[in-house]
Amino acid sequence: MIFRIMDKTSLHELVQGLVEEKEVVGPVARNGRFVFDRIAHPGELKLDYDTTLLPPKKWLFPPEESMMRFRVADSEIVDDDVHVTPRVLFGLHPCDINGLLLMDNVFTRDYVDPYYAARRAATLVIGHSCTPTETCFCNAWGTDEVNWGFDVFLTDLGDRYFVSVTSAEGSELLDRYVENQPATEADIKEFTRASRRARELFPHALDTSHLPMLLEAKFDSPIWDRLGEACLGCGACSMVCPTCYCFDVRDRTSVDQKSGERVRTWDSCQFAGFSAVAHGENFRADRASRVKYRYYHKQWGYLSKFERVLCVGCGRCTRACLAGISPVTVITELEGGDGE
Amino acid sequence: MRPTVAIFGLASDYGCQVQITNAEDDLPALLGALDIVYWQLASSASLPEEYDVAIIEGAVTIEEHVEFVQAVRETAKVVVAIGACAVCGGIPALAGESLDERVLDVYGRVEGVAVGRRAPRPLSDFIAVDYTVPGCPIDAQEFLGVVTRVLLGLSDPVSDDPLCASCKVAENVCFFDSGEVCLGVVTRAGCGARCVGLGRPCMACRGIAPGANRQGLASVLAERDADLDTVRRRLAIYNSREGS
Amino acid sequence: MSTIAVEHVARIEGHGTISVSVKDGKLLHARLDVTEPARFFESMVRGRTYAEVPLIASRICGICSPNHTITAIKALEAAMSVDTTPRTALLRKVLVYGSYLQNHATHLYLFAAPDYVGAGSAFALAETHPHVLERALRLKKLGNELTTLVGGRSVHPITAVIGGFTREPPQTELAAILESLRAALPDALETVELFAAVNEPEFETEGDLLALVQDEDYAIYEGDVGSIRGGWRRPVSEYRDFLAESVVDHGNAKHSTVDGRAFAVGALARLSLSGKLLAPRAAQAAASAGVETGTVNPFRNNLCQAIELVDAIERCAGYIECFLEDDGESRPDAVRVRAGSGAAATEAPRGTLYHSYEVDGEGVVRSADIITPTAQNLGNLEADMGRFVAAVADLATDELSALVQRLVRAYDPCLSCSVH
Amino acid sequence: MSDRVNDVLDNPYVPLQARITSVVDLTDKEKLFEIRIIDEQARDAFAFGSGQFVELSILGVGEAPISITSAPTKRGSFELCVREVGDVTKALHQKRCGDTVSVRGPFGRGFPFDRMKGHDVLLVAGGLGIAPLRSLIDHIRDERHEFGNVTIMYGVKNPGEVLFGYEFESWRTRDDFDLVMTVDEPDAAWKGEVGPVTRLFDGIAVDPSRTYGAICGPPAMYPHVIAEMRKKEMDVERIYVSFERRMKCGIGKCGHCGVGHKYTCVDGPVFSYWEAMNLREAI
Ligand SMILES: Cc1cc2nc3c(=O)[nH]c(=O)nc-3n(C[C@H](O)[C@H](O)[C@H](O)COP(=O)(O)OP(=O)(O)OC[C@H]3O[C@@H](n4cnc5c(N)ncnc54)[C@H](O)[C@@H]3O)c2cc1C
Ligand code: SF4
Ligand code: SF4
Ligand code: SF4
């Protein structure tokens, strides 16, 4: 990693340069909230955004994608290429970059998922520092910091950016479009001070110390029944989550039944039929068991494989859940707190 | 062999049948895949004795309809219900149970008009329905998807889950965030939260999702001090049969 | 004696049965029994909050739903004195007039055209006249695209609400559809040629013809009601004074009279009253097709619809151009609920559509009256059927039956609308 | 701006074309399919262990995980025993000999065949659960000398549902397999036992120090059979169970087959009972 300093005013040039070269996706305003969308000029970027409606994962793992096309008559696959557009994901907050790292674990190891992997390889990630909001709790997992998973990361130091660069491509781009200097001792000091200041702004100090164990120990706790009664079974939490990766696969054929495609779409373990098999057996038939599974898998199932929890504390599910189910309250309650 | 298909309209506004014709680009393929032997809206051919697939729009609102759909069920191997009227009663069922009042209201007398009337009901109250294409109106592409599955003999693909997930995928801002009530929470998914995307809360035209937590919605509303009765009445616009 | 009986007349919207019987040149009866079940809309909207009413009323008809939606909205706005902007009016006009493309193309090609080639359905045209069917589908599709762009979908618009629109169509898409509209003019003009070439029976209706009229414009979205035979013009708000409805014994649709006389509405009436105000290309097309103001042959309603296709394309393009230059707002303000009553009419593809509502101080609808084009036409249609059959009674029954069905279809009846 | 990337990596979601080389009706609901991968190289490379499964596709219909029911020792083709329950399985049942289907795999972790060698083996199957166990049975048969006593317990609802009955008859006559069968609803011709499969434990002697167990059947069967095995003091680490869960990928991505903190597709479908005991909602 190399550390550079660039003037804040030159951000415009950087983005302008990128836009001319590649597809650039970044946070833009929509109906009073923010979304990651393609931009045509730097002015559209809203880098003071709080949290986007959907995380950037949709650009690597789209809500719906065709995996292959085929001819029905002779079961011949006519197109199994992965279609990828090289692009820059601009302005990602540390939680979302951490989210990508967690997705990387699933999709780029054992049985590499070519769709995700190809897009990831063709995506340049430029991060941006943030200010915690009401619903953020990335501090609980340490995902308010990010050390890899991006090419360039911009930390706001008021009049200038402290720029962390991890890839040759990132470094070249930076040099090509903006003037920048090596970071000095003083800059580094300022940088650490800035991150410390940000840390103090977090609304929650969540105790997660016994989490996996508690999930086992409290597996039969009435907590889950209560959550099951409240849960709307709508799956909104999974859709907005930067780390949920479950999917469904369906075949679609043309009306003439000659050709078809195999399509995968985002799925959610909160849907009633998620674990149902033929002959009417459903391994998680009630909402309580499904809400529980979401936590069980995130804070323990995934952890048992990849040594990290499958949550980055972005708070999107907290905001999306009309029933008010939030990791913060669930975890607090599990840990024996009052759960607010 | 192309299956023979008969398309029928009961009490409805024909909007769903019109939607079939609105799949202009796919019509040739559709007509190639199906042998439409009866369709009053589009053809003078009279109803044959036998056909494989019946596509039925509209609610059952007169005695004649009851016998009719039973006869259809006996003839057809596959019955497809299209549109809110056929699937959940829809707007016709908003007329409710005591029709005499309504008749008097509209016609000024109760005898000799609206003959054979009976409280409107969805198709599934009388006959087994194999496939449903919900919505008011149906979406032409969804219809084509179902027809394709009928042709292949595959199961009914209709979703049992509520709408919110697809609303999130569409990156709409939730109506509840601005203090408005939206019925998507309990409505059957599949339309992509079309109305919400266009700035209007969902009215549950696709019916209530089997996987919905209605009690949960009631708590959400209570939490927000919403008037439960108003919401109940709104839910009943398309789903008057589903007391909540 | 000639008797014609056709059960469940095909290729019209809704279920109806024709029966005409003539003996020794004397008409015994001529009826179109509307067997479409009653759905009680006027009663159902009573007690509902104003905002829900356009949505419900839209479900009266799956073809002219944009018209029901907009007319209901306008009537409720009149009842509660809600103002709207010119920008909103532009979008509504596109929605209302755009629906003509879909309606007329469907009616002319899918419903009426098979009669002229002796086919049972338009699908047969795929083999015999593929380019005709393709043209039909292109026009229909364009109409659907237009109403989808503005209303959010082709049937039952979503975005149109009291006070304005919840979403405006994106500028880029409007610009694109403007191109498509211009490109569709040849299709519309060919449709006029096609229907001008048809040999229609010589026949004149005795009834009056009514339509909205305006001084400067081919009236679609607003205006007064004009009568061709009566030569009068009256405001829509007074429609109950001149338009009487009565319940009949043979069906669930009421019949209407104006000053005690049967009358017709629709393209024929509009052209008869406002033919001079057609847009340039439409006017040319009308002239070369030989349609002059005052035409009263109901069979010619088809040709008039074809001419309206041209006019709708020209005019919608104009509305969109104005819209693209306009910098106003169409977003609805919060509605100030107040008691009142209001009526509105627009020209639906099949004729004048009236909605009127009485709203109480809570915004709840207390009474409603809806008169659809087909309900207005039914009396006149029956009279025409009778006179027509009496005049040509010596034809073979099959031929006679085919011609009567053609006459019925020329009216483009919507029986589900007529009952509502 | 869209680039195609087709040389990235092998795409584990793309199935291979395969031909059905034989179809045998086993019962009203189950058929046995012999499948031969068309591409020769891929066919030769296709090696698996008993208890592993393939993802079988009917393109246009969907995909379903199916256990391989033939022995790994059978080369060139493999067999699937499939019950018609839904879209994919119905479409497969309509296929005939010579038709093409598509397959991916093999996937998952099978039975620990090598560890079982030198031991007695007690196999318990319920209904369609015989499918993966038949692979194991056939494999053991092919290397019979490596094993001690081999006992097979098989329970079905009624005699008409017995799968591979014709093969079992031939084993029964061999004295190196002990086969006991039971049905819930016997018919007049039934000569075997009647009642739940657990009843079969009454009459057998098990040497817990040298016996491996393998169980596959409907979910409700597991606790009872395991209880019987535990009564015979069999080691929790020597009892193996095979699970069925919903699957959409077979390779640990789609999330549907989660059982406890693991995934059935890559961590299973065969688990030791010790593992299964520690998987929530597994048994
Ligand atoms: C490890 C393992 C081994 C197995 N071994 C065997 C075996 O040896 N023999 C055997 O018979 N069975 C076996 N099974 C069970 C077998 O996988 C299931 O019976 C099978 O998946 C059922 O699939 P289906 O398509 O026939 O039925 P369905 O469950 O009806 O599935 C229908 C199809 O349609 C799709 N679908 C479902 N819902 C919808 C919807 N709403 N819209 C559109 N599409 C939808 C599904 O994805 C599926 O492709 C095994 C299962 C596992 C996990
Ligand atoms: S579980 Fe919730 S807080 Fe955690 S990453 Fe997912 S959406 Fe964000
Ligand atoms: S707007 Fe409606 S459909 Fe969308 S998330 Fe909110 S409640 Fe659900
Ligand atoms: S958002 Fe609701 S009302 Fe609108 S189409 Fe979907 S289900 Fe129907």
Side-chain angles (χ1 to χ4, degrees):
Chain A
M1 196 153 17
I2 59 167
F3 302 108
R4 312 286 300 179
I5 290 292
M6 71 177 241
D7 217 41
K8 224 171 168 180
T9 48
S10 40
L11 186 77
H12 187 276
E13 290 146 52
L14 175 63
V15 180
Q16 187 60 45
L18 291 171
V19 164
E20 278 163 25
E21 185 170 314
K22 274 191 183 184
E23 182 174 296
V24 177
V25 164
V28 301
R30 183 187 297 175
N31 299 325
R33 295 281 305 270
F34 301 93
V35 298
F36 279 106
D37 208 348
R38 293 189 186 90
I39 60 157
H41 42 82
E44 291 172 58
L45 280 181
K46 296 279 177 280
L47 288 171
D48 56 350
Y49 74 104
D50 51 5
T51 310
T52 51
L53 287 164
L54 284 186
K57 87 173 173 194
K58 66 174 176 173
W59 294 99
L60 299 161
F61 172 44
E64 175 173 317
E65 79 179 303
S66 173
M67 303 173 85
M68 61 199 85
R69 299 177 172 279
F70 49 78
R71 256 197 322 261
V72 175
D74 56 355
S75 309
E76 178 83 27
I77 295 189
V78 292
D79 179 7
D80 60 0
D81 294 349
V82 180
H83 300 262
V84 167
T85 305
R87 67 169 67 90
V88 180
L89 284 182
F90 199 101
L92 273 61
H93 289 165
C95 62
D96 281 343
I97 299 173
N98 275 300
L100 296 184
L101 288 171
L102 298 175
M103 300 282 285
D104 291 349
N105 284 337
V106 176
F107 285 126
T108 65
R109 295 198 195 176
D110 317 322
Y111 294 111
V112 173
D113 183 286
Y115 312 98
Y116 179 93
R119 282 199 198 90
R120 183 72 161 114
T123 303
L124 196 93
V125 175
I126 300 185
H128 192 281
S129 58
C130 57
T131 319
T133 71
E134 184 85 338
T135 43
C136 295
F137 63 102
C138 49
N139 54 332
W141 314 123
T143 44
D144 51 338
E145 300 287 344
V146 62
N147 298 310
W148 58 86
F150 57 85
D151 295 87
V152 176
F153 193 92
L154 308 169
T155 305
D156 192 337
L157 295 184
D159 56 343
R160 60 199 195 284
Y161 280 120
F162 185 88
V163 189
S164 319
V165 184
T166 65
S167 74
E169 199 187 350
S171 168
E172 273 163 32
L173 280 175
L174 197 67
D175 289 345
R176 193 165 340 141
Y177 296 119
V178 288
E179 263 183 48
N180 63 87
Q181 310 85 42
T184 63
E185 249 343 272
D187 294 324
I188 294 172
K189 217 172 247 162
E190 178 61 30
F191 165 75
T192 35
R193 222 175 293 141
S195 5
R196 207 170 302 131
R197 259 200 311 277
R199 286 222 129 171
E200 279 157 16
L201 295 173
F202 281 99
H204 317 278
L206 198 58
D207 178 9
T208 61
S209 39
H210 310 98
L211 205 46
M213 196 276 277
L214 284 172
L215 280 160
E216 287 289 2
K218 299 202 176 176
F219 200 83
D220 297 318
S221 157
I223 297 174
W224 303 116
D225 298 323
R226 251 181 293 131
L227 291 169
E229 266 168 43
C231 171
L232 298 161
C234 71
C237 52
S238 308
M239 300 300 123
V240 301
C241 179
T243 67
C244 279
Y245 53 80
C246 291
F247 59 82
D248 189 15
V249 179
R250 301 253 170 99
D251 284 5
R252 282 190 206 143
T253 42
S254 56
V255 179
D256 62 15
Q257 302 156 71
K258 288 198 179 111
S259 59
E261 58 179 342
R262 185 157 284 178
V263 180
R264 77 166 165 198
T265 48
W266 289 357
D267 206 341
S268 168
C269 58
Q270 304 305 296
F271 291 151
F274 187 79
S275 305
V277 294
H279 355 103
E281 187 84 42
N282 188 344
F283 295 97
R284 272 175 232 109
D286 57 294
R287 279 192 306 276
S289 65
R290 297 197 292 273
V291 180
K292 177 163 61 184
Y293 185 73
R294 182 163 197 267
Y295 285 88
Y296 192 86
H297 176 246
K298 282 190 174 297
Q299 332 298 350
W300 171 219
Y302 183 93
L303 178 93
S304 74
K305 240 177 210 148
F306 300 112
E307 295 170 17
R308 293 184 68 178
V309 298
L310 190 64
C311 171
V312 294
C314 70
R316 284 188 180 90
C317 58
T318 307
R319 289 182 80 158
C321 183
L322 292 173
I325 301 173
S326 152
V328 174
T329 48
V330 174
I331 292 169
T332 307
E333 207 173 334
L334 280 173
E335 291 279 354
D338 55 8
E340 292 179 42
Chain B
M1 262 294 279
R2 297 190 306 164
T4 50
V5 177
I7 305 179
F8 303 106
L10 307 177
S12 72
D13 69 359
Y14 289 70
C16 293
Q17 293 186 57
V18 169
Q19 281 289 71
I20 299 176
T21 75
N22 285 350
E24 290 91 1
D25 291 342
D26 299 292
L27 270 187
L30 183 71
L31 296 171
L34 308 177
D35 180 6
I36 301 183
V37 292
Y38 178 76
W39 191 4
Q40 175 269 340
L41 182 71
S43 160
S44 312
S46 50
L47 183 63
E49 290 274 310
E50 283 178 15
Y51 43 87
D52 301 320
V53 180
I55 297 175
I56 307 181
E57 175 204 72
V60 170
T61 64
I62 51 176
E63 297 299 341
E64 219 178 280
H65 287 156
V66 179
E67 289 152 42
F68 178 74
V69 298
Q70 279 160 351
V72 168
R73 180 70 267 190
E74 284 191 4
T75 313
K77 296 188 195 83
V78 174
V79 171
V80 186
I82 62 167
C85 307
V87 172
C88 52
I91 298 287
L94 192 54
E97 305 291 312
S98 44
L99 298 181
D100 283 2
E101 263 169 60
R102 303 243 179 253
V103 181
L104 197 62
D105 219 8
V106 174
Y107 296 98
R109 64 179 203 215
V110 289
E111 299 301 324
V113 278
V115 180
R117 61 183 174 264
R118 53 174 297 147
R121 294 279 185 270
L123 208 51
S124 57
D125 274 22
F126 304 95
I127 58 170
V129 171
D130 304 304
Y131 296 83
T132 52
V133 187
C136 181
I138 57 165
D139 177 78
Q141 289 307 315
E142 185 180 4
F143 172 77
L144 290 173
V146 172
V147 166
T148 309
R149 291 184 68 91
V150 171
L151 290 167
L152 291 166
L154 304 182
S155 54
D156 186 353
V158 76
S159 168
D160 284 350
D161 304 313
L163 190 60
C164 296
S166 49
C167 188
K168 294 297 163 205
V169 170
E171 292 189 277
N172 297 319
V173 176
C174 182
F175 271 105
F176 283 93
D177 289 358
S178 52
E180 282 181 74
V181 172
C182 172
L183 299 179
V185 188
V186 292
T187 301
R188 205 189 267 277
C191 65
R194 186 192 294 263
C195 297
V196 183
L198 291 165
R200 291 188 72 172
C202 172
M203 301 296 278
C205 81
R206 292 177 61 86
I208 293 171
N213 179 358
R214 281 204 257 177
Q215 203 43 51
L217 172 61
S219 311
V220 168
L221 294 168
E223 184 99 337
R224 288 163 172 75
D225 289 329
D227 178 24
L228 273 181
D229 215 49
T230 313
V231 179
R232 219 170 266 140
R233 277 173 59 79
R234 197 195 285 183
L235 194 61
I237 291 182
Y238 283 106
N239 301 281
S240 59
R241 295 294 321 293
E242 308 252 358
S244 50
Chain C
M1 159 135 169
S2 340
T3 309
I4 294 164
V6 185
E7 257 188 70
H8 295 319
V9 190
R11 286 183 276 119
I12 60 170
E13 212 187 320
H15 292 284
T17 294
I18 299 174
S19 72
V20 187
S21 155
V22 180
K23 196 175 181 188
D24 306 328
K26 234 190 91 199
L27 178 71
L28 297 183
H29 75 264
R31 286 185 0 209
L32 177 61
D33 292 14
V34 180
T35 52
E36 198 61 33
R39 287 176 297 154
F40 314 111
F41 274 89
E42 285 139 320
S43 172
M44 285 193 308
V45 296
R46 274 177 45 170
R48 305 228 58 114
T49 313
Y50 68 91
E52 298 169 347
V53 171
L55 176 142
I56 296 171
S58 179
R59 271 71 186 174
I60 289 173
C61 179
I63 285 202
C64 60
S65 57
N67 310 82
H68 279 285
T69 304
I70 297 299
T71 315
I73 287 173
K74 281 182 58 181
L76 287 157
E77 285 172 352
M80 297 190 294
S81 314
V82 176
D83 288 331
T84 54
T85 61
R87 189 177 180 80
T88 291
L90 281 171
L91 287 179
R92 287 181 181 172
K93 285 177 184 174
V94 177
L95 210 47
V96 169
Y97 216 7
S99 77
Y100 279 51
L101 288 178
Q102 132 80 9
N103 179 82
H104 287 2
T106 305
H107 170 245
L108 291 174
Y109 286 102
L110 299 193
F111 297 170
D115 285 340
Y116 301 116
V117 293
S121 86
F123 308 139
L125 300 180
E127 253 128 66
T128 55
H129 305 72
H131 55 284
V132 173
L133 188 61
E134 281 160 25
R135 187 198 305 143
L137 294 180
R138 274 199 304 274
L139 283 166
K140 222 168 94 51
K141 187 177 171 200
L142 177 62
N144 284 327
E145 282 171 359
L146 200 57
T147 42
T148 302
L149 185 56
V150 179
R153 72 181 156 210
S154 49
V155 176
H156 303 317
I158 296 165
T159 53
V161 294
I162 293 175
F165 282 81
T166 56
R167 278 281 189 290
E168 285 192 351
Q171 305 260 329
T172 48
E173 290 183 36
L174 279 172
I177 205 145
L178 202 50
E179 289 307 307
S180 311
L181 280 168
R182 293 194 180 114
L185 257 183
D187 279 346
L189 290 167
E190 280 169 38
T191 308
V192 176
E193 280 171 33
L194 185 73
F195 282 87
V198 171
N199 228 339
E200 299 287 12
E202 285 300 322
F203 181 68
E204 293 199 347
T205 188
E206 270 190 346
D208 199 352
L209 297 174
L210 259 59
L212 290 184
V213 288
Q214 278 179 292
D215 292 335
E216 308 287 324
D217 223 348
Y218 192 80
I220 295 293
Y221 175 68
E222 58 208 333
D224 296 329
V225 182
S227 145
I228 199 138
R229 304 246 198 232
W232 48 258
R233 186 169 161 167
R234 295 184 204 171
V236 167
S237 57
E238 293 170 12
Y239 81 90
R240 278 209 196 82
D241 298 338
F242 56 83
L243 209 154
E245 273 197 305
S246 59
V247 178
V248 299
D249 288 329
H250 60 287
N252 296 326
K254 295 180 202 169
H255 286 201
S256 309
T257 50
V258 63
D259 300 330
R261 171 182 198 167
F263 66 100
V265 292
L268 180 75
R270 286 188 291 261
L271 243 86
S272 293
L273 282 150
S274 305
K276 289 200 188 66
L277 294 165
L278 285 170
R281 300 296 294 273
Q284 266 174 33
S288 49
V291 174
E292 56 291 330
T293 306
T295 303
V296 288
N297 180 350
F299 285 97
R300 300 287 260 184
N301 191 49
N302 288 340
L303 177 58
C304 295
Q305 284 197 347
I307 292 164
E308 285 191 333
L309 277 177
V310 182
D311 192 64
I313 288 174
E314 289 180 278
R315 238 173 261 270
C316 285
Y319 299 144
I320 292 172
E321 277 168 354
C322 290
F323 181 87
L324 289 170
E325 278 159 27
D326 181 272
D327 52 6
E329 264 286 340
S330 69
R331 196 172 280 275
D333 290 330
V335 173
R336 263 199 24 232
V337 173
R338 62 184 114 180
S341 54
T346 64
E347 282 293 328
R350 290 143 165 165
T352 322
L353 169 65
Y354 300 87
H355 279 234
S356 67
Y357 301 99
E358 203 185 309
V359 179
D360 71 11
E362 307 285 291
V364 174
V365 168
R366 285 294 150 214
S367 73
D369 184 42
I370 297 165
I371 305 183
T372 64
T374 301
Q376 297 167 65
N377 276 334
L378 281 173
N380 205 56
L381 171 55
E382 287 185 344
D384 278 0
M385 280 196 312
R387 285 184 46 250
F388 180 71
V389 173
V392 294
D394 43 344
L395 288 175
T397 313
D398 278 0
E399 206 177 330
L400 197 55
S401 167
L403 278 173
V404 170
Q405 289 186 55
R406 202 160 124 185
L407 174 67
V408 170
R409 270 179 215 117
Y411 268 87
D412 191 6
C414 174
L415 301 182
S416 55
C417 258
S418 73
V419 175
H420 60 274
Chain D
M1 275 238 283
S2 166
D3 285 6
R4 285 165 166 242
V5 186
N6 41 9
D7 53 359
V8 251
L9 308 145
D10 283 343
N11 187 332
Y13 298 103
V14 173
L16 295 166
Q17 275 191 323
R19 188 159 334 274
I20 299 177
T21 47
S22 129
V23 182
V24 178
D25 287 354
L26 296 179
T27 70
D28 294 348
K29 289 178 298 187
E30 284 98 357
K31 286 187 185 184
L32 181 68
F33 297 87
E34 188 184 56
I35 311 269
R36 185 176 167 82
I37 292 167
I38 292 172
D39 182 82
E40 197 183 324
Q41 228 181 321
R43 182 165 69 231
D44 292 343
F46 189 89
F48 66 93
S50 298
Q52 283 198 290
F53 63 95
V54 292
E55 283 283 353
L56 178 115
S57 281
I58 309 289
L59 295 178
V61 177
E63 219 175 23
I66 306 289
S67 304
I68 302 171
T69 194
S70 52
T73 37
K74 175 179 158 96
R75 304 292 296 176
S77 63
F78 58 88
E79 289 169 352
L80 304 177
C81 167
V82 181
R83 174 179 292 176
E84 180 178 333
V85 293
D87 290 345
V88 176
T89 49
K90 184 166 125 197
L92 178 66
H93 270 237
Q94 284 161 2
K95 297 273 177 195
R96 304 227 175 100
C97 190
D99 287 350
T100 41
V101 292
S102 312
V103 290
R104 297 189 289 134
F107 296 125
R109 194 175 61 154
F111 294 103
F113 188 78
D114 287 334
R115 250 180 291 144
M116 286 176 163
K117 282 181 183 167
H119 295 84
D120 293 350
V121 183
L122 171 57
L123 301 140
V124 184
L128 185 57
I130 194 71
L133 291 181
R134 174 179 176 259
S135 170
L136 185 58
I137 296 167
D138 277 3
H139 199 185
I140 291 173
R141 183 200 55 202
D142 291 342
E143 299 180 28
R144 185 66 189 86
H145 59 281
E146 301 267 15
F147 293 85
N149 294 331
V150 180
T151 309
I152 305 163
M153 297 179 178
Y154 183 27
V156 290
K157 207 171 277 150
N158 59 57
E161 291 186 3
V162 173
L163 293 164
F164 305 111
Y166 56 97
E167 293 182 0
F168 293 164
E169 280 315 308
S170 73
W171 299 342
R172 205 199 286 279
T173 54
R174 288 172 64 145
D175 44 13
D176 51 0
F177 282 95
D178 283 321
L179 173 72
V180 265
M181 289 206 257
T182 177
V183 297
D184 294 331
E185 302 151 5
D187 59 13
W190 181 251
K191 293 201 200 70
E193 302 283 328
V194 174
V197 74
T198 42
R199 278 202 46 189
L200 305 177
F201 278 84
D202 294 348
I204 61 155
V206 173
D207 177 354
S209 69
R210 46 168 294 128
T211 305
Y212 269 90
I215 312 171
C216 188
M221 189 186 96
Y222 290 89
H224 304 291
V225 173
I226 288 165
E228 293 296 331
M229 288 189 173
R230 295 290 291 140
K231 265 195 240 158
K232 303 275 182 198
E233 291 175 358
M234 285 173 65
D235 193 312
V236 289
E237 285 186 298
R238 285 205 188 146
I239 300 172
Y240 282 83
V241 290
S242 178
F243 290 141
E244 178 189 345
R245 286 295 183 277
R246 192 178 183 86
M247 284 181 193
K248 285 291 178 178
C249 73
I251 54 174
K253 314 278 183 238
C254 81
H256 284 267
C257 68
V259 49
H261 59 284
K262 304 219 170 201
Y263 282 155
T264 310
C265 64
V266 287
D267 302 318
V270 176
F271 293 95
S272 77
Y273 177 53
W274 167 249
E275 290 170 307
M277 272 166 74
N278 290 291
L279 294 179
R280 292 293 187 168
E281 300 173 316
I283 293 177

